[in-house]
Amino acid sequence: MSDSVMTNDGELILDSHKLSYHMGRVKAWEAGERIGPVTVDMSLTRACGAMCSFCYAMMQEPQERRGIKTDHILHLLDDFAEVGVKGVSLVSDGESTLSKAYVPFVQHAASLGINIGNATNGWEWGPEKSEQVLPHMSWIRFTVAAGTPERYAEIMYKGPEHTEVFDKAMKNIRHAVAYKKKHNLSVTLGIQMVLMPEFEDEIIPFAKLGVELGVDYAVIKHCSDDEYQTLGIDYSKYEAMYELLDQAEALSTSKTKIIVKWDKIKDKGKPSYKRFYGPPFLLQISGSGLVAPSGMFFNARYSKLHIGNFTNERFIDIYNSDRYWRAMNYLASPSFDAQTMMGTLPIQHYVSSALDNHIKGIKKITESKKQSPLHVNFL
Amino acid sequence: MKKGVNLSFANIDSPSTGVLWVNMTNDKRVSLLESSIQLFSPQIDLNVVEAHESGQVSIHINSVIEINDRGEFLLNLEEYLKSTIDIGINIWHEPIGDKSSLRNLRGIEVLS
């Protein structure tokens, strides 16, 4: 098992972190300075046309939603550039491609030198939209819940008879693969399966589909759940799937790598850290406009950690406020226990784990002398 | 230079609730919390929904508080309750379920 895989485009790290390439930020943080996030994960809306059974957004409803308009996101990006954000991933709690602000967002980010990645179901991502953004993107990751049309439609939509959503997604993914090749673009194209134990039968079909589509990678990851087990994920059942996951990885080709996020899958939902150090490096913003340290805290339940909303206050003012740093400090204090007070395996997991090990002296983060991997600005 | 994050608690366990709190009935805990909250912020309408032995307290704010103020208000309130009642207290707002009508077809209810 390795932290990275070599693709035709370069070294790809999906099952670890990239802090070793941002040591300036790590040292400043360790010295007690206020640092801007390297990466922000966000969404331009909380809406989505899918209804995936594994979707964490079902547990992320905040006190209020506000509409995000194009002006808001242009200002937001200007503020990101000001505080030193290097990469923005459009994942978080909604389907950003549905937003009218989507294309302007990607194009403005590119003009500011901010790298952009995007996770999408690809349903509303036909050539008229995708061709406007593909040249500016670092990566696109399509959520593909299963390798067969019926199971895909069952998991991501209303039932197995609705295979039209699978057909639409495959058409748009194939177009993106062809467009990348034709224009020799640097964008990395991947598909992702969020593995719940009951999807075991789709592991191999998913890996085969990735190879058949000709994407750069197909990744299989764990499914997050909240601390009350709203989704009812039984993490003890993952172990029984290790052999199948090994078989899936063995289907990798020179063109398409099949990757399993072993580190998270083997964690079985309980982190090694009590303090949550990742958010100052990797901040999350909801499609409702809510700025909170992590998507784990978007629900109204965690209102004490809600810092502001960028649609009614400039992000730069939120970032510079004492309340921003008070929330970050709360997560680093004994009042907060990451093992019991938040959902499992957040997007900041790898970063938080590495920073905790660094602070405890278990494993120091050191500057990498290697060439930067792909997507270095996505921690 | 303004201070960033305090990193000195990495190895410290979170405080547990004390014997007095643990031995109280739920009704007594709720009543004690509500009278303390009334002293802390008489102008805010807020009720205590549950108060677990573990110190996890669920509240509901009935007043309108702007998002810029809400988080700080709740963190201040938690600090106050920790210092006046029990250091193991953590307050959480009642969860809100997904407002997406499509996703709601899954029938998932946010647990608490």
Side-chain angles (χ1 to χ4, degrees):
Chain A
M1 187 169 70
S2 164
D3 282 348
S4 67
V5 293
M6 194 53 74
T7 70
N8 288 341
D9 294 332
E11 186 190 14
L12 182 65
I13 298 175
L14 292 182
D15 196 22
S16 188
H17 64 89
K18 303 175 189 107
L19 288 167
S20 299
Y21 301 91
H22 299 278
M23 285 309 291
R25 220 67 72 105
V26 174
K27 284 175 183 166
W29 170 80
E30 199 172 4
E33 294 176 26
R34 293 184 172 186
I35 57 160
V38 175
T39 313
V40 173
D41 175 63
M42 63 177 290
S43 177
L44 303 176
T45 177
R46 258 188 62 74
C48 184
M51 44 181 288
C52 303
S53 62
F54 52 80
C55 184
Y56 202 86
M58 292 189 282
M59 284 100 78
Q60 291 177 304
E61 194 66 50
Q63 298 260 9
E64 58 272 304
R65 291 189 188 189
R66 293 176 65 102
I68 298 173
K69 297 190 167 54
T70 303
D71 274 358
H72 295 136
I73 58 97
L74 299 181
H75 287 145
L76 181 68
L77 286 165
D78 291 339
D79 291 348
F80 282 171
E82 180 79 20
V83 305
V85 174
K86 296 179 173 183
V88 177
S89 57
L90 293 172
V91 185
S92 197
D93 58 343
E95 176 57 54
S96 290
T97 62
L98 298 179
S99 167
K100 285 181 180 165
Y102 175 67
V103 173
F105 182 90
V106 173
Q107 294 178 343
H108 190 55
S111 74
L112 293 168
I114 296 173
N115 299 157
I116 298 288
N118 183 195
T120 174
N121 55 37
W123 296 357
E124 302 301 328
W125 205 71
E128 70 291 344
K129 197 179 284 181
S130 64
E131 290 179 11
Q132 289 189 73
V133 297
L134 271 166
H136 306 295
M137 307 290 288
S138 297
W139 53 267
I140 303 273
R141 193 176 64 225
F142 301 93
T143 301
V144 176
T148 55
E150 292 78 14
R151 285 285 274 148
Y152 175 101
E154 185 184 6
I155 297 166
M156 292 182 69
Y157 201 48
K158 294 177 181 173
E161 68 278 21
H162 288 280
T163 53
E164 69 275 10
V165 288
F166 177 86
D167 297 338
K168 198 193 286 190
M170 294 308 117
K171 186 179 170 193
N172 290 336
I173 296 170
R174 287 182 208 284
H175 177 77
V177 171
Y179 193 81
K180 171 186 169 167
K181 189 175 178 187
K182 182 179 175 186
H183 296 276
N184 196 26
L185 301 178
S186 60
V187 60
T188 306
L189 300 173
I191 61 171
Q192 171 178 269
M193 177 187 193
V194 179
L195 182 61
M196 290 175 97
E198 53 267 42
F199 305 158
E200 181 180 3
D201 58 317
E202 288 297 320
I203 292 173
I204 298 300
F206 167 80
K208 287 180 175 171
L209 178 64
V211 172
E212 191 263 315
L213 286 168
V215 289
D216 300 303
Y217 70 87
V219 65
I220 302 170
K221 58 168 277 192
H222 77 293
C223 182
S224 289
D225 203 349
D226 69 10
E227 64 272 44
Y228 296 91
Q229 294 183 300
T230 289
L231 291 181
I233 311 291
D234 183 352
Y235 290 100
S236 67
K237 289 187 173 169
Y238 278 111
E239 200 162 342
M241 295 185 277
Y242 289 176
E243 201 177 316
L244 262 181
L245 291 167
D246 279 331
Q247 288 172 25
E249 281 191 319
L251 293 172
S252 291
T253 65
S254 59
K255 167 70 186 148
T256 303
K257 304 300 172 192
I258 312 299
I259 301 165
V260 175
K261 285 195 171 189
W262 286 109
D263 192 61
K264 282 190 170 184
I265 281 178
K266 289 189 171 177
D267 236 328
K268 295 183 178 163
K270 190 171 181 185
S272 59
Y273 45 88
K274 289 175 181 290
R275 307 289 98 83
F276 194 33
Y277 292 135
F281 292 82
L282 201 177
L283 181 72
Q284 280 184 284
I285 297 178
S286 162
S288 63
L290 170 70
V291 178
S294 168
M296 290 282 144
F297 310 128
F298 286 167
N299 193 281
R301 187 202 314 272
Y302 312 94
S303 292
K304 65 184 177 187
L305 296 167
H306 293 182
I307 307 168
N309 189 302
F310 76 86
T311 64
N312 63 1
E313 185 183 12
R314 286 288 291 255
F315 175 79
I316 190 100
D317 296 323
I318 296 173
Y319 167 77
N320 283 321
S321 69
D322 286 337
R323 67 197 132 94
Y324 181 97
W325 291 99
R326 187 166 182 198
M328 297 301 177
N329 262 301
Y330 185 88
L331 301 176
S333 77
S335 292
F336 184 76
D337 185 345
Q339 294 177 348
T340 59
M341 295 180 188
M342 68 176 192
T344 55
L345 303 169
I347 196 170
Q348 297 92 347
H349 173 71
Y350 296 117
V351 171
S352 295
S353 180
L355 291 167
D356 188 65
N357 286 336
H358 180 75
I359 289 301
K360 288 175 177 167
I362 295 169
K363 187 179 179 187
K364 286 284 180 188
I365 302 165
T366 54
E367 183 141 24
S368 177
K369 307 286 182 206
K370 288 164 47 180
Q371 188 185 354
S372 293
L374 292 169
H375 322 145
V376 68
N377 292 327
F378 299 88
L379 288 179
Chain B
M1 185 186 77
K2 288 186 175 177
K3 283 191 177 167
V5 176
N6 184 341
L7 305 175
S8 56
F9 304 112
N11 290 303
I12 309 291
D13 286 333
S14 295
S16 307
T17 44
V19 178
L20 209 60
W21 172 270
V22 170
N23 288 336
M24 273 183 220
T25 62
N26 184 62
D27 287 351
K28 174 72 180 156
R29 284 187 210 119
V30 170
S31 160
L32 181 61
L33 286 163
E34 287 191 330
S35 50
S36 283
I37 291 168
Q38 180 63 24
L39 283 174
F40 177 76
S41 59
Q43 72 283 13
I44 303 289
D45 181 12
L46 182 161
N47 61 290
V48 176
V49 182
E50 276 182 303
H52 290 279
E53 191 179 303
S54 63
Q56 307 308 304
V57 172
S58 177
I59 55 118
H60 186 89
I61 303 174
N62 303 306
S63 303
V64 175
I65 312 178
E66 286 297 312
I67 185 168
N68 298 2
D69 301 321
R70 196 188 301 133
E72 283 228 283
F73 166 76
L74 290 169
L75 288 175
N76 287 337
L77 174 61
E78 183 176 287
E79 255 181 31
Y80 176 75
L81 297 175
K82 277 178 180 290
S83 65
T84 57
I85 299 179
D86 192 293
I87 196 171
I89 288 174
N90 282 95
I91 59 169
W92 309 99
H93 196 275
E94 266 199 305
I96 292 181
D98 193 1
K99 290 175 187 162
S100 160
S101 49
L102 187 60
R103 288 192 296 250
N104 269 332
L105 294 175
R106 287 281 173 202
I108 300 286
E109 192 182 334
V110 181
L111 301 177
S112 60

